[in-house]
Amino acid sequence: MAADSSDSDSAKGQEPTEGEKPTDLGKGEAASGPAEKISATEQSKTAETSDTDGTPGASGETEPAEKPSAAEEPESGSDESRYPPALIATAVALPVVLVVAVLVAAVLARRLPVEREPLVLGPVPAPAATGEACTKLLPALPADLGEFTKSTLVEPAPPAARAWQRPEGGDAIVLRCGLDRPLEFHRASPLQIVNDVQWFEARDDAAKASTWFAVDRETYIALTVPDGSGPTPLQEVSDTITANLPAKPLDPGPLPN
């Protein structure tokens, strides 16, 4: 009986081997079951993550790369989206058009005639102003003398007088017909012939002008020309005198004492 008790106790003290523990194996399977399920779930998630990231998944297919982040995408409120190209082109071209318009207006303004004030002429002795020679000569005078155009005279204007000015005004060319013989004209006075008319010059340095007297016609004709007018005024008036008034012998004054 003692032997049986010791055998029984020894049998109780010995641990069973792996093949002899069916109950523990069952528990082990039960314990390992959820772990295996968790592992399979992680593998599935890993496969889905790899598919999303563009890495090869279980099927070997490659997905597209990641979309650009919000920082890399163009802003919808940029200047290019706010201002269309047509508006930008108009804004650039408008100043150029304005500059061209100003230049064209300046050129046209130079070409347009300038409204001049009427010219005031003082009276001088002209006893033959209403004579036949002046009555015939004045209507034949040209409207323009070179760059000088006919001026309007303030009334009452002197008889048998005409004037011309540049478009912008300034010193005038003045013609007077029917005058007395000039005091400076005498037998020793130098004369200058222009287009068949004999002229005597009386210089006025203070006024920067010369008055030319036609001394070989029925009456004396004076043409006052400011400096810088050129030869054209004297030439054109000479042509008009030659065409309308016949030449007469000279009648100079006596030599000064």
Side-chain angles (χ1 to χ4, degrees):
M1 294 295 292
D4 294 336
S5 299
S6 62
D7 293 339
S8 176
D9 294 336
S10 64
K12 291 178 180 181
Q14 291 179 357
E15 294 291 332
T17 62
E18 294 179 0
E20 297 174 350
K21 297 173 64 178
T23 304
D24 294 337
L25 287 175
K27 293 180 179 180
E29 291 176 358
S32 62
E36 290 175 358
K37 291 179 180 179
I38 292 172
S39 177
T41 302
E42 291 178 352
Q43 290 178 1
S44 175
K45 290 182 177 180
T46 303
E48 291 176 0
T49 304
S50 64
D51 293 341
T52 304
D53 295 340
T55 55
S59 62
E61 297 178 356
T62 303
E63 296 293 333
E66 292 183 356
K67 295 181 180 180
S69 62
E72 296 175 354
E73 293 180 356
E75 296 181 2
S76 60
S78 62
D79 291 343
E80 294 182 358
S81 61
R82 285 195 302 241
Y83 303 106
L87 181 60
I88 296 175
T90 302
V92 173
L94 185 58
V96 178
V97 173
L98 291 176
V99 171
V100 173
V102 170
L103 294 176
V104 171
V107 172
L108 293 178
R110 288 185 176 183
R111 294 181 178 179
L112 291 176
V114 179
E115 189 68 23
R116 296 184 307 231
E117 294 292 333
L119 188 65
V120 178
L121 291 182
V124 297
T130 57
E132 182 180 356
C134 295
T135 303
K136 187 176 182 180
L137 176 65
L138 264 66
L141 291 170
D144 298 336
L145 296 178
E147 60 180 339
F148 291 76
T149 58
K150 186 178 179 180
S151 298
T152 302
L153 301 181
V154 174
E155 297 294 341
R162 293 290 184 272
W164 297 262
Q165 287 177 287
R166 290 186 173 93
E168 65 274 13
D171 295 334
I173 296 174
V174 178
L175 181 140
R176 298 177 188 267
C177 184
L179 305 181
D180 289 327
R181 183 178 61 196
L183 297 177
E184 301 90 345
F185 175 54
H186 50 77
R187 296 176 182 177
S189 298
L191 300 178
Q192 183 172 342
I193 299 176
V194 178
N195 296 354
D196 298 329
V197 178
Q198 298 188 67
W199 294 92
F200 163 68
E201 180 186 11
R203 175 69 186 167
D204 188 348
D205 292 327
K208 296 182 179 179
S210 293
T211 297
W212 297 82
F213 293 90
V215 295
D216 62 345
R217 305 295 147 161
E218 181 180 340
T219 187
Y220 291 96
I221 303 162
L223 184 68
T224 302
V225 182
D227 292 352
S229 302
T232 301
L234 190 59
Q235 292 172 349
E236 294 190 353
V237 171
S238 297
D239 289 338
T240 306
I241 293 174
T242 301
N244 292 275
L245 301 179
K248 297 290 183 179
L250 298 179
D251 184 19
L255 291 172
N257 294 329

